[in-house]
Amino acid sequence: MNRFILLHLTFLEYSVASIFMKKATLCGGMNIKAFLFFFTGIVLFGGYSILWQQVLKRFPLSVAMANKPVCLLWSTLFGLLIFCEAVSLRFLIGVAFIVTGIVIVSWGKGDD
């Protein structure tokens, strides 16, 4: 598997886990629905931590951490689609700067 695909699937899992945690907090107290969302989020964060260790085996820490802000893209997309959150132009410009930085840091770091 292309190691950049692994990297970004890892970040996708992190973002999905965050969605389940947010859904748990929106359930209005500790009930079975909130518990299920919370438990699913914990399981996904556990899977993320295993994938993150695999990422660190394949990338220098500086490259892996420089790519981590891509979670902003996933979180923004999920916020729009699932929670109907508003996104400002200023925020989108900031995300564009971050993505540009990710591309610059990752340039030429493809599979050997």
Side-chain angles (χ1 to χ4, degrees):
M1 175 188 307
N2 183 320
R3 61 189 186 142
F4 275 97
I5 292 173
L6 172 65
L7 177 69
H8 290 280
L9 286 176
T10 302
F11 297 142
L12 176 62
E13 181 163 351
Y14 178 85
S15 298
V16 170
S18 298
I19 289 170
F20 279 93
M21 292 305 205
K22 184 170 182 172
K23 292 288 267 182
T25 63
L26 296 175
C27 285
M30 201 56 192
N31 53 43
I32 190 69
K33 189 175 178 183
F35 175 78
L36 290 174
F37 280 129
F38 183 73
F39 180 76
T40 304
I42 292 292
V43 169
L44 288 171
F45 276 129
Y48 159 77
S49 66
I50 292 168
L51 287 173
W52 183 243
Q53 295 304 311
Q54 296 304 309
V55 164
L56 293 178
K57 286 182 181 180
R58 292 166 174 79
F59 285 94
L61 181 60
S62 60
V63 174
M65 288 304 292
N67 279 272
K68 193 159 182 164
V70 83
C71 292
L72 281 172
L73 295 174
W74 289 116
S75 298
T76 302
L77 179 65
F78 292 141
L80 286 169
L81 296 176
I82 297 171
F83 300 108
C84 300
E85 295 175 345
V87 176
S88 70
L89 179 60
R90 177 184 282 177
F91 179 82
L92 292 175
I93 292 170
V95 169
F97 276 112
I98 290 169
V99 170
T100 302
I102 290 170
V103 170
I104 290 170
V105 168
S106 300
W107 196 269
K109 307 273 192 221
D111 285 334
D112 298 324

